[in-house]
Amino acid sequence: MPGPGNGDMRMKNILCYGDSNTFGYTPAGGRYDLAARWTGRLAAMLGPEYHIIEEGMCGRNTVWDDAIEPMRNGLRFLPVALQSHQPLDMVIVSLGTNDCKVHLNAPAGVIALGLTRIVECIKRYPYDIGSAPEVLIVSPIFIGDGHVERLHVSYDHSSAQKTRQLAPLFEQVAGAHGCLFLDAAKVAGPSAADQLHMEPEGHAALANALYPLVCGCFSD
């Protein structure tokens, strides 16, 4: 078990570091309540021995400074989150969708390199309390391919296709760095209304898929 407290009874701290689908953004433009978000559902399933820390930000990507949506560079903010929420036993990283925006012009392989930088930051950060947490990489759901550009100017058909290339690349990153991995597209998809964000059923399915991975990581 990572971090301090091996053998003690303290709660397991799990940081969920992601984008709008971690934030719980709704296809209608609001935010799902805690009970509907996958983070809240996972917390309820895991129970009081676990502390789920939500760190979802709409528009967050892996490593890019986006002039259209500033302050969304995930690598820049990550050290702040790691410092302020330690000790951490696990970080669930759920990024990649926003890296597929047309104006960032990043091939899928380069997006995977951005994810690698995120993982390396988590594993190499000089924690004051405890040691490096486990990392669980979640590759994103697919962007809908039904003229997504009509709804979101930052995406087009190539963005949708790019999301379909990420899972095997992200799984390779996970394998190379000793991380757990889940392909979210195998259990959930985007709403037909906006082709980007999950509906409550998708949040529930994602939480259900994550639950055994998290529990298995901390079982003795």
Side-chain angles (χ1 to χ4, degrees):
M1 187 183 303
N6 291 349
D8 71 15
M9 297 299 293
R10 75 165 178 83
M11 296 171 68
K12 308 298 186 294
N13 295 320
I14 301 176
L15 175 65
C16 301
Y17 195 72
D19 52 29
S20 56
N21 273 315
T22 300
F23 175 84
Y25 192 82
T26 74
R31 188 183 191 186
Y32 293 119
D33 62 30
L34 181 60
R37 300 195 292 268
W38 69 261
T39 47
R41 289 177 179 271
L42 181 61
M45 295 170 69
L46 290 169
E49 295 181 358
Y50 293 81
H51 178 209
I52 297 295
I53 304 162
E54 293 184 309
E55 186 44 68
M57 184 178 189
C58 297
R60 177 178 283 148
N61 60 60
T62 57
V63 298
W64 311 104
D65 290 322
D66 187 343
I68 304 299
E69 288 188 279
M71 297 182 290
R72 270 32 178 214
N73 184 326
L75 186 62
R76 287 188 183 274
F77 181 75
L78 180 57
V80 178
L82 298 177
Q83 178 68 22
S84 62
H85 294 300
Q86 61 183 320
L88 290 169
D89 296 281
M90 175 179 282
V91 180
I92 300 177
V93 178
S94 183
L95 295 170
T97 299
N98 293 294
D99 296 66
C100 297
K101 290 177 176 177
V102 291
H103 57 279
L104 295 180
N105 197 32
V110 176
I111 295 172
L113 289 177
L115 176 68
T116 298
R117 295 289 307 280
I118 293 286
V119 173
E120 289 173 345
C121 179
I122 296 168
K123 288 186 170 289
R124 297 175 182 175
Y125 186 78
Y127 297 93
D128 299 319
I129 305 172
S131 55
E134 298 286 350
V135 179
L136 196 169
I137 295 171
V138 180
S139 62
I141 63 170
F142 296 154
I143 294 175
D145 204 12
H147 303 290
V148 66
E149 65 276 7
R150 296 179 183 175
L151 300 169
H152 308 280
V153 68
S154 295
Y155 299 96
D156 64 6
H157 175 76
S158 69
S159 305
Q161 293 306 305
K162 202 173 294 183
T163 57
R164 288 156 173 78
Q165 302 170 21
L166 293 180
L169 297 172
F170 280 24
E171 188 171 16
Q172 289 177 15
V173 174
H177 291 83
C179 305
L180 299 168
F181 175 75
L182 175 68
D183 180 357
K186 288 185 175 181
V187 298
S191 166
D194 80 343
Q195 302 185 52
L196 280 178
H197 300 103
M198 293 186 294
E199 294 184 341
E201 295 80 5
H203 281 267
L206 182 56
N208 289 339
L210 287 167
Y211 175 75
L213 291 175
V214 175
C215 289
C217 182
F218 297 111
S219 62
D220 295 324

